[in-house]
Amino acid sequence: MPLDATIDPATHKFALVGTRPLRPDGIDKVTGRARFGADASAPGMLVGKILRSPHAHARIRAIDTSKAAKLPGVKAIVTRADFKEGDPGLRDVLHNVMARDKALYDGHAVAAVAATSAAVARKALKLIRVDYEILPHVTDVDEAMKPGAPVLHADMITANVEPAPKKASNIASRCEFGHGDPEIGFKQADLVIARSFKTEATHQGYIEPHACLASVGSDGQGELWVCTQGHYMVRNQCASLLGMDVSKLRVTASEIGGGFGGKTTVFIEPVALALSRKAGRPVKLVMSREEVFRASGPTSSASMDVKIGVTKDGRITAGTAEIRFQGGAFAGSPVEFGAMSAFACYDLEHVKTVGYDVVTNRPKQAAYRAPGAPMVAFAVESVLDELAKKIGMDPIELRLKNAAKEGTRSSYGPKYKRIGLIECLEAARRHPHYKAPLGPNQGRGIAAGFWFNFGGQTCVSLNVNVDGTVALAVGTPDIGGSRASMCLIAAEELGIGYEQVRAIVADTSSLGYNDISEGSRVTFSTGLAVIQAARDATAKLCARAAKTWGIAPDAVVWEKGYAKPASPNAGSFAPLSLADIAKTAGSTGGPIAGHCEVNAEGAGVSFAVHMTDAEVDRETGRVEIKRYTVVQDAGKAIHPSYVEGQYQGGAAQGIGWAINEEYVYGRDGRLQNPGFLDYRIPVASDLPMIDTVIVETPNPGHPYGVRGVGETSIVPPLAAVANAVSAAAGVRLSELPMAPPRVLAAIDAAASRRS
Amino acid sequence: MALVKLSGTLRSAAGGLTELEIDAPNIHQLLLKLAEQHPKLKPVLDRGVSVAVDGEIYRDDRFRPLPAGSEVFILPRMAGG
């Protein structure tokens, strides 16, 4: 649905879009009334618990559940045999939900029980005997690629390589993007820098652990209450894994305490349903924080080599990157998106990126905001920072000189439509932060970032109530304030007040299919569907007014909340408000509702520029972020407060990724820090106020010009912080996280090189 | 006639071709013809792809008409967090 011809987003005066009303779910959340996943309960409910492998890699010879089954209070035990095999698209999902022949990582589920209490369930887990044959393991991406590394899957032959390898390995696939000939480009350069980088796996760190309540009746019909980013996905996958008809499973999404991509697949939901089906009673399953770390998806860890050449006057002549991502025990790391986005900010004649998707004995990675892009931006933007310093050019000037714009051929192929990178860079350069003086031991870093965004399948119903208020049913879980934005859009279209619209996230039996809330798609695609549903409703409202007045429907227009005759020729009638028409709907044709079912395309790509000041304690290596500014293109900000919230949230998570967070594995392949005490995410006292600048370069693919904003904000921080820390420490930091021991070691190594 | 440009990922499966012309009215027909002409591409296409037409990336819209002379890229299926 293209940009409205009647709306110039730069000058159009919206009545409500762009204002900052309170969110409709705010009071519930601050008073504790909101119901999250673990708040669901049902009469006769059992407690589910999952037995997990203590080994990083082990063959499962046998599982003996007989003693556990005899324990009083145990009502059901399930293993892999209780799930339906056969859907090739869900093979790895099922294998991750419940191990079969092999446990592939520390924490891999092998069996589950449902019992009358948590104490009985825990006791039952201890009575299950699993006969393991421990196998060699590998958790590091570079080690996993070496010949002789323990191979996880005997049938894994590297895809996209001709001729195909004859032997199995841990390299699931190879990908390559780019154009031109980098060797020619490097010859044209006055300076070429090549560096290697590593990042560790980080968890999305959502505060609410995975939780669900499943209830399957003796008639085979089931219900599931769950915290998820996509309850339609949960319904479809669970129905397939349990051999149920989709229509027999109704899924309701709870409020969600964070997802960030980590709640875009199933982990415990099929297990809870299988237990409930077997026990004939509702089963509640809630992950502990330790289980969240050990067995839900962190992001990939990465190992990368980047090489960039520039001329003395700052023109990039060529860029190459080889990117190696481990995505846990199954294929599917986001290495393709990493390879595509590595140089997407820049207009390059010669560019090539190669990626390898590698499996290791770690939990299967899950999406994490702009999956794959933050790590490669760290590598590319670090080299650009070094190049700018070496040729004596301002780092924003270097990026402006090479920035992609409308018509630029992207490094992954297609030419860009209208984009806002240059506007972001210029806004960053104008910002007072960029010229503010730095204190002792402080450094400033800047970095740019890119993300694709997409639309997807979306279904919305807008029901006009008898009193002229409106009930809006959407199918995309609200993970960032989207109900407020949807109410604003509906009210804008209908010409009524924001408070007169109430949005709910409907269950899977109430609306047609909706894709997951991911890919920065909700404000774009659900917003687009709300616009269409509202216009569908106003057309019907006009028709009712026409019937009342006895004139043709096309002789009525909808303006600012009223049906009016289109012209004096249509007759002279007092305008009818939405409430007037709603009040008499029963006698003019029945209920009035607007609907939209769409597969939204046209999501515009998005760019951001971040800058930060870091202070390094040269005695301890501790990093403190002193100031942080996010500049990002939103296309059109529907509710600016929640756009800013996305910017700040992405920056905060990126700062944690840069300086603190990492999965630490012992020599035994077991995760050493599965808790928030040892896996330290930033808290409010660790962060400065994160300043934000909303740039609005309209997306030509949306009626109001909206672009997704949820993911791009996590792309630049790793690099921006690394550039700031490197400047403050006087040495280039090329591995994340930049925890004190690593920073101190880099400072000491640089000092010993100088002496 | 659309000009299909192949990324390095797809080139090896298409016998080293960097681009080829395909006469198809829409994305659906284009993908069918591509798999027919280069069977080694079929597994990649079957895994799910997005298709960029003149700079616009289509994740699902298989019946999007292809304007004459359009530039087409086959990309991984878009996903996100």
Side-chain angles (χ1 to χ4, degrees), chain A residues 83 147 249 299 386 419 459 530 661:
Chain A
F83 297 91
L249 182 57
T299 188
E386 199 174 339
I419 56 174
C459 185
V530 169
E661 298 177 36

Side-chain angles (χ1 to χ4, degrees), chain A residues 563-575:
Chain A
K564 298 175 181 173
S567 72
N569 293 341
S572 178
F573 304 100

